[in-house]
Amino acid sequence: MATATTTIARKRSALTRGQLPSYAPWAVVAAAVILAAAIMALVGFNALGWGVLSAVLFTIGLVTWSAAAEGSRKAKDKLATCLVVGSFLIAVLPLVSVVWIVLVNGLPGLVTPGFLGTSMNGISGLQDNTSVNTGSRVLGGIYHSLMGTLLITLWATVISVPIGLLTSVYLVEYGNDRALARAIRFFVDVMTGIPSIVAGLFAAALFAAISGPGTKTGFVAAVALSVLMIPVVVRSSEEMLKIVPNELREAAYALGVRKWRTILKVVIPTAISGIASGVTLAIARVIGETAPILVTAGFATKINMDVFSGWMSSLPTFIYTQILNPTSPANPGPSVQRAWAAALVLIIMVMLLNLGARLVARFFAPKTGR
Amino acid sequence: MSKRIDVKDLNVYYGKFLAVEGVNINIDARSVTAFIGPSGCGKSTFLRTLNRMHEVLPGARVEGEVLLDGDNLYAQGVDPVTVRSQIGMVFQRPNPFPTMSIRDNVLAGVKLNNRRISKSDADALVEKSLQGANLWNEVKDRLNKPGSGLSGGQQQRLCIARAIAVQPDVILMDEPCSALDPISTLAVEDLINELKENYTVVIVTHNMQQAARVSDKTAFFNIAGAGKPGKLIEYADTQTIFSNPSVKATEDYVSGRFG
């Protein structure tokens, strides 16, 4: 019995079209960079122009080549990819450059011994002039401002979180789109947009009415910051409470659990990871505020751990005063160095807070696994 | 333990919309009663009025009486929370609490109400409830693992265990098997057969074979048209409803001619 075999004649597949070789993007990059360098050499070289021109030439080159070799659909795809990646690079550039500049300018001050552990108490133009003239290390530090920032932010959090969380519980669980709930939502939105200096003036005026004009303490600053923080906490917690499935509430009700217990023991624990990270981000939002602290807590050079009396310094106001009124007007160098180092510390704190928010979210997230 | 339910002239409204009209039904203790009918005919709504769960939705209200062993659930001064602790409910989709372990899910009714319970009592309650829900053998080695890690059918049986752990008189089930595969469905149906020795079970189902398999009595609900209220058409022994119904609409429905 003969076996019939069919041999299909080899031909070009009808399913494929022309393709760019895999080295194509690298070749175009190389060509674009060289060409851009040549053009820049003619008109006068600068790095930024070179980068931008290279990117533009790369896009044109790759898209044209792709259109010729692969057809218009692939070319459009390449063009869109180039635009998306380009936008991403533009967006990330300022961020990287801020971190880089603060790192470069702040590190020398930060590694100076005693910078984190001493205050500016007793540091005057005299010491700064000496350290510039003799080349000895810059004296003075940010201990008082660091403690001020931590204490003021802590008190602001203590004030804002209960108010914000309870407000969002009202909005989600009891509000039912009533007129009061709608009004609260509207005013929270308005509060999100008020300039921070207005919050500072509000707190200053409030405490001027309560305990006499010119009352400047850390607590007044904390009240000012909590005015800024509450709307953020309300908004983020509201979103988190909203996404708790209604089925869980019904499950609890069906077991004969009262509404307040359901909220306390089912709804909030289910949403706690989102609420905690929202609170952390709200803290990160207010920790760098300058203007409201300047008008409510003043600025100090001594360590003051009592938020209820006396002026207090914080990192942003420390940076502000060091830059604007250098300790030694003749030699602002040491003050500038301290300001940059304080800025670096502030950025590190905000980064740690964001990192903490992620850890908190992961720690509290509903457990999975078998 | 189990109690009977008698409903007299019950109308259910959502705001001004009359959703269910004129229901009269007597549900025996220690029996399984199935509610069948086309989608949107009000059987789930009616089921939820039996433990006042419909009140969770804003604007829902009822007229008429629901008597639990003669006590009207809708009398003045009745606390819906007390009603719900005596009439438990299992929902369409399994909904174990995601933040709790299997053990804590079973104990949820006790713990969420902050009732004190000794560890040995708690252990006994967990074992009894999980055995009552036919789940003990599958989970006894991982009681401290999260409940959301179980399969859909196991989660639903966990929800049943959670419902019977508060020792209710009546268990309402709102399409408990519609999200489950056939094997899990079989497990839950077997469980319903065992539950009726101690509890009054009321079950809403879209699956007529299921109603025929598990229930002693069947109630057929129907709706005249969109926007009209749902009504109880016929209520009789399951045998009668499926083999010799007295109303034409019931016959059409159970023989698959519509719905």
Side-chain angles (χ1 to χ4, degrees):
Chain A
M1 204 168 129
T3 346
T5 48
T6 0
T7 355
I8 298 171
R10 282 254 173 200
K11 65 173 170 68
R12 216 168 143 262
S13 165
L15 300 175
T16 58
R17 310 187 60 173
Q19 266 185 317
L20 283 187
S22 58
Y23 59 81
W26 305 111
V28 180
V29 165
V33 168
I34 294 168
L35 192 60
I39 294 173
M40 290 308 287
L42 291 180
V43 296
F45 191 85
N46 75 65
L48 183 69
W50 184 40
V52 172
L53 195 60
S54 305
V56 172
L57 287 175
F58 170 76
T59 309
I60 295 173
L62 190 66
V63 171
T64 330
W65 190 2
S66 168
E70 297 179 315
S72 71
R73 194 187 68 80
K74 285 275 192 181
K76 280 181 208 152
D77 176 54
K78 294 256 185 333
L79 178 63
T81 309
C82 288
L83 291 179
V84 169
V85 172
S87 317
F88 163 72
L89 289 177
I90 291 172
V92 98
L93 205 63
L95 195 72
V96 171
S97 109
V98 163
V99 170
W100 177 248
I101 290 174
V102 175
L103 262 179
V104 166
N105 290 311
L107 263 183
L110 187 61
V111 297
T112 307
F115 179 70
L116 290 173
T118 55
S119 72
M120 288 298 284
N121 195 12
I123 306 294
S124 66
L126 225 54
Q127 279 84 355
D128 276 3
N129 288 341
T130 321
S131 67
V132 169
N133 293 334
T134 64
S136 62
R137 71 182 172 87
V138 174
L139 295 172
I142 55 163
Y143 184 71
H144 60 308
S145 304
L146 199 59
M147 286 303 131
T149 290
L150 290 177
L151 284 172
I152 290 172
T153 318
L154 177 72
W155 274 96
T157 312
V158 167
I159 298 168
S160 317
V161 169
I163 296 178
L165 189 55
L166 287 175
T167 308
S168 59
V169 164
Y170 172 78
L171 288 177
V172 175
E173 304 289 336
Y174 296 94
N176 286 341
D177 248 11
R178 274 182 213 141
L180 177 60
R182 281 204 303 269
I184 290 177
R185 249 187 221 113
F186 175 73
F187 284 115
V188 165
D189 279 350
V190 172
M191 271 172 82
T192 318
I194 62 167
S196 55
I197 183 68
V198 177
L201 288 177
F202 158 76
L206 179 72
F207 279 86
I210 294 173
S211 49
T215 308
K216 287 187 178 177
T217 67
F219 189 70
V220 184
V223 169
L225 290 189
S226 64
V227 171
L228 296 170
M229 228 176 127
I230 286 170
V232 183
V233 175
V234 171
R235 268 319 200 180
S236 62
S237 325
E238 189 193 351
E239 293 305 319
M240 290 304 135
L241 292 178
K242 260 193 206 156
I243 59 173
V244 173
N246 233 351
E247 296 160 4
L248 295 183
R249 299 187 179 91
E250 291 195 339
Y253 295 152
L255 291 171
V257 181
R258 296 208 176 274
K259 186 165 185 173
W260 70 272
R261 279 194 191 284
T262 305
I263 294 168
L264 203 64
K265 298 209 165 171
V266 174
V267 179
I268 291 182
T270 309
I272 191 75
S273 77
I275 293 173
S277 58
V279 167
T280 324
L281 293 178
I283 295 173
R285 150 106 174 67
V286 298
I287 202 167
E289 285 296 346
T290 319
I293 296 187
L294 217 49
V295 297
T296 49
F299 47 88
T301 54
K302 295 194 193 89
I303 299 166
N304 175 12
M305 300 290 245
D306 185 0
V307 288
F308 295 103
S309 80
W311 290 22
M312 236 176 173
S313 178
S314 72
L315 285 173
T317 55
F318 176 82
I319 297 167
Y320 176 80
T321 49
Q322 286 290 307
I323 291 288
L324 214 62
N325 307 309
T327 315
S328 157
N331 288 310
S335 284
V336 171
Q337 181 188 322
R338 281 190 292 260
W340 277 110
L344 180 59
V345 171
L346 199 54
I347 286 190
I348 291 173
M349 282 171 81
V350 172
M351 278 185 174
L352 286 179
L353 274 174
N354 278 287
L355 215 62
R358 279 159 189 266
L359 286 179
V360 158
R362 188 174 303 172
F363 179 74
F364 281 120
K367 312 281 181 290
T368 50
R370 282 156 199 273
Chain B
M1 278 271 279
S2 70
K3 292 183 176 172
R4 58 179 292 112
I5 295 179
D6 300 279
V7 179
K8 286 182 189 163
D9 297 325
L10 193 81
N11 296 334
V12 188
Y13 294 86
Y14 286 120
K16 284 187 179 146
F17 174 68
L18 179 58
V20 180
E21 186 181 22
V23 177
N24 284 289
I25 198 169
N26 305 305
I27 296 167
D28 293 329
R30 289 167 207 270
S31 70
V32 179
T33 305
F35 294 171
I36 59 172
S39 296
C41 69
K43 46 192 194 309
S44 290
T45 300
F46 175 64
L47 186 80
R48 290 167 76 97
T49 60
L50 297 183
N51 71 342
R52 299 188 66 165
M53 277 297 287
H54 69 292
E55 290 172 12
V56 173
L57 299 172
R61 64 194 170 84
V62 302
E63 290 167 356
E65 287 185 337
V66 178
L67 305 176
L68 179 69
D69 260 9
D71 300 327
N72 186 4
L73 302 186
Y74 290 96
Q76 282 279 315
V78 172
D79 185 349
V81 173
T82 322
V83 171
R84 288 177 203 145
S85 63
Q86 294 181 16
I87 306 180
M89 190 159 191
V90 176
F91 296 85
Q92 188 168 355
R93 288 223 310 236
N95 51 2
F97 297 119
T99 51
M100 298 182 193
S101 65
I102 293 172
R103 182 188 146 91
D104 286 346
N105 260 292
V106 178
L107 293 173
V110 177
K111 286 202 164 168
L112 292 181
N113 278 322
N114 258 14
R115 249 177 275 140
R116 301 219 165 264
I117 183 167
S118 71
K119 191 170 178 303
S120 55
D121 285 355
D123 287 340
L125 180 62
V126 168
E127 181 169 351
K128 185 172 150 240
S129 308
L130 284 172
Q131 262 168 354
N134 272 339
L135 192 61
W136 175 250
N137 287 328
E138 290 159 64
V139 301
K140 64 182 174 199
D141 299 324
R142 45 173 172 156
L143 289 175
N144 290 319
K145 295 278 165 59
S148 44
L150 298 173
S151 75
Q154 289 172 327
Q155 287 189 16
Q156 192 63 299
R157 279 179 283 150
L158 177 61
C159 293
I160 295 174
R162 182 174 69 184
I164 59 183
V166 293
Q167 283 146 5
D169 302 312
V170 180
I171 298 177
L172 309 176
M173 298 187 178
D174 189 356
E175 298 181 34
C177 302
S178 64
L180 304 185
D181 66 288
I183 296 190
S184 307
T185 301
L186 191 67
V188 173
E189 284 179 6
D190 286 345
L191 175 58
I192 292 171
N193 263 322
E194 287 166 29
L195 287 177
K196 79 172 178 187
E197 317 222 322
N198 294 312
Y199 303 95
T200 308
V201 179
V202 183
I203 174 173
V204 167
T205 177
H206 269 299
N207 181 334
M208 279 179 277
Q209 285 75 29
Q210 183 173 62
R213 281 194 299 264
V214 301
S215 68
D216 302 313
K217 285 189 154 193
T218 299
F220 173 61
F221 286 79
N222 202 359
I223 186 167
K228 302 257 176 57
K231 283 182 181 170
L232 173 61
I233 304 296
E234 189 170 357
Y235 175 53
D237 286 342
T238 301
Q239 192 83 46
T240 315
I241 290 279
F242 281 95
S243 56
N244 189 20
S246 55
V247 183
K248 179 78 168 51
T250 315
E251 192 185 343
D252 287 350
Y253 186 75
V254 298
S255 60
R257 238 164 277 165
F258 86 99

